Amino acid sequence: MDDCIFCKIISGDVPCYKIYEDEYVLAFLDINPVVNGHTLVIPKKHFVNIFDVDNFYLEKVTAAIKKISVHYNQKFDGINILNANDKSAQQSVFHLHFHIIPRTIDDGKDFWPYKEVLDKTDLKTMAERLKL
Ligand code: AMP
Ligand code: ZN
């Protein structure tokens, strides 16, 4: 897509610090890292987000995430994997991507959402609404 920053990175029109690449997937450092080593993993074909990606590319991206995660786990103490889909979920670049966020013991970060659920009593109703 012409106006997509990540497509421009894939084509080489915009530079990046590449971490991993194969035929279907590219991983590179986030330009605005929340921790050192903050990495983005993207399909080399334009998909907006999880809602439109095809399973073939999703599997390739997932396999790359696993590979990079295992590699990073030897260099850090763990990782978070984050992914935003659509504006309400704070997606800002509309080319599917997964954040790999390396963690170190005592890094003082908290990437886990606030754990309090406002309406804890209504799980039954919610399950009925959501079940496939
Ligand atoms: P999200 O808010 O989940 O859509 O994440 C988009 C991410 O892309 C942000 O963390 C940005 O810092 C990152 N980003 C945007 N432009 C670039 C770029 N040219 N190179 C590397 N990372 C970028
Ligand atoms: Zn794109």
Side-chain angles (χ1 to χ4, degrees), residues 4 7 46 95:
C4 172
C7 283
H46 184 87
H95 180 129

Side-chain angles (χ1 to χ4, degrees), residues 20-21 38-39 45 54 69-70 78 96 98-99 128-129:
Y20 171 81
E21 183 172 24
H38 182 171
T39 299
K45 182 175 172 185
D54 67 37
S69 297
V70 169
L96 176 69
F98 293 85
H99 301 251
E128 282 163 3
R129 179 182 162 203

Side-chain angles (χ1 to χ4, degrees), residues 90-106:
Q90 300 170 281
Q91 183 177 7
S92 64
V93 174
F94 288 85
H95 180 129
L96 176 69
H97 55 280
F98 293 85
H99 301 251
I100 298 182
I101 300 178
R103 302 300 303 273
T104 51
I105 299 290
D106 302 328

Side-chain angles (χ1 to χ4, degrees), residues 16-101:
C16 73
Y17 289 98
K18 195 180 295 182
I19 298 296
Y20 171 81
E21 183 172 24
D22 64 31
E23 192 177 348
Y24 304 104
V25 180
L26 179 65
F28 52 94
L29 293 181
D30 195 297
I31 203 168
N32 189 24
V34 294
V35 297
N36 288 327
H38 182 171
T39 299
L40 301 175
V41 187
I42 66 172
K44 282 188 172 175
K45 182 175 172 185
H46 184 87
F47 299 99
V48 174
N49 52 34
I50 197 77
F51 305 124
D52 71 329
V53 67
D54 67 37
N55 285 350
F56 177 84
Y57 271 90
L58 186 58
E59 284 168 18
K60 297 295 184 189
V61 169
T62 305
I65 290 171
K66 164 91 183 194
K67 189 186 290 261
I68 296 163
S69 297
V70 169
H71 176 59
Y72 280 15
N73 201 35
Q74 295 166 354
K75 298 178 179 294
F76 301 93
D77 301 325
I79 58 149
N80 290 108
I81 299 170
L82 299 178
N83 160 246
N85 300 282
D86 225 330
K87 279 189 181 148
S88 66
Q90 300 170 281
Q91 183 177 7
S92 64
V93 174
F94 288 85
H95 180 129
L96 176 69
H97 55 280
F98 293 85
H99 301 251
I100 298 182
I101 300 178

